């Protein structure tokens, strides 16, 4: 039953259930917007911290769940889409990404529990916590 795949499904009025994905965008979008704003505001500083291209894939976010955080080139960039040459690809469900951003879910625990998948350079993924902090 699709409506119950999200912990927030119960908040939507029944009339909206058919429009669930359209009516209620993924929560991570706000986080992606914050990252984009942070790169605009302090790109060079974040590039020094990151030194890599991060690809986010929100497993239940569809096309909107693909986001590139470039903290390697110039003063950085953050945009929707896919980069096949990303140094580190992070795949995670929407709710889990939000829990990590809020500090409610530890990255290592998420990884060990199979909620977080990392492809590419694992060490880079460890930097992400401080980058997310800086992006707040």
């Amino acid at each position: 039953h699709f409506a119950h795949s999200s912990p927030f499904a119960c908040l939507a009025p029944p009339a909206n259930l058919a429009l669930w994905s359209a009516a209620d965008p993924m929560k991570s979008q706000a986080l992606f917007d914050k990252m984009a704003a942070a790169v605009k505001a302090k790109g060079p500083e974040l590039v020094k911290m990151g030194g890599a291209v991060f690809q986010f894939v929100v497993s239940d976010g569809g096309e909107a769940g693909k986001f590139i955080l470039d903290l390697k080139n110039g003063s950085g960039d953050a945009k929707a889409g896919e980069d096949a040459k990303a140094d580190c690809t992070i795949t995670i469900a929407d709710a889990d990404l939000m829990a990590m951003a809020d500090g409610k879910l530890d990255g290592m625990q998420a990884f060990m529990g199979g909620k977080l998948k990392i492809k590419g350079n694992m060490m880079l993924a460890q930097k992400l916590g401080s980058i997310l902090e800086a992006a707040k």
Side-chain angles (χ1 to χ4, degrees):
H1 190 74
F2 184 69
H4 297 295
S5 63
S6 162
F8 306 104
C10 57
L11 301 179
N16 278 349
L17 288 183
L19 301 168
W20 178 242
S21 57
D24 203 74
M26 55 171 204
K27 305 282 183 261
S28 304
Q29 188 59 53
L31 183 64
F32 291 160
D33 293 343
K34 269 189 200 152
M35 283 191 229
V39 169
K40 277 195 182 72
K42 44 188 176 184
E45 182 189 326
L46 293 171
V47 167
K48 278 195 196 88
M49 284 171 73
V53 177
F54 295 93
Q55 170 77 59
F56 289 88
V57 179
V58 177
S59 53
D60 49 356
E63 279 306 304
K66 293 174 183 161
F67 186 81
I68 305 158
L69 183 62
D70 180 346
L71 299 180
K72 186 186 209 172
N73 304 298
S75 53
D77 194 15
K79 58 184 186 279
E82 277 182 283
D83 183 346
K85 297 191 295 288
D87 299 292
C88 182
T89 300
I90 292 146
T91 305
I92 188 166
D94 189 28
D96 293 330
L97 180 56
M98 291 316 291
M100 271 180 69
D102 291 341
K104 294 183 184 120
L105 176 63
D106 177 67
M108 205 59 190
Q109 287 174 324
F111 180 71
M112 295 305 206
K115 290 179 171 184
L116 171 66
K117 292 186 180 58
I118 300 166
K119 206 171 76 189
N121 187 330
M122 300 278 288
M123 295 313 286
L124 290 172
Q126 294 182 346
K127 290 183 176 182
L128 217 52
S130 49
I131 293 165
L132 287 175
E133 272 304 302
K136 274 187 179 164

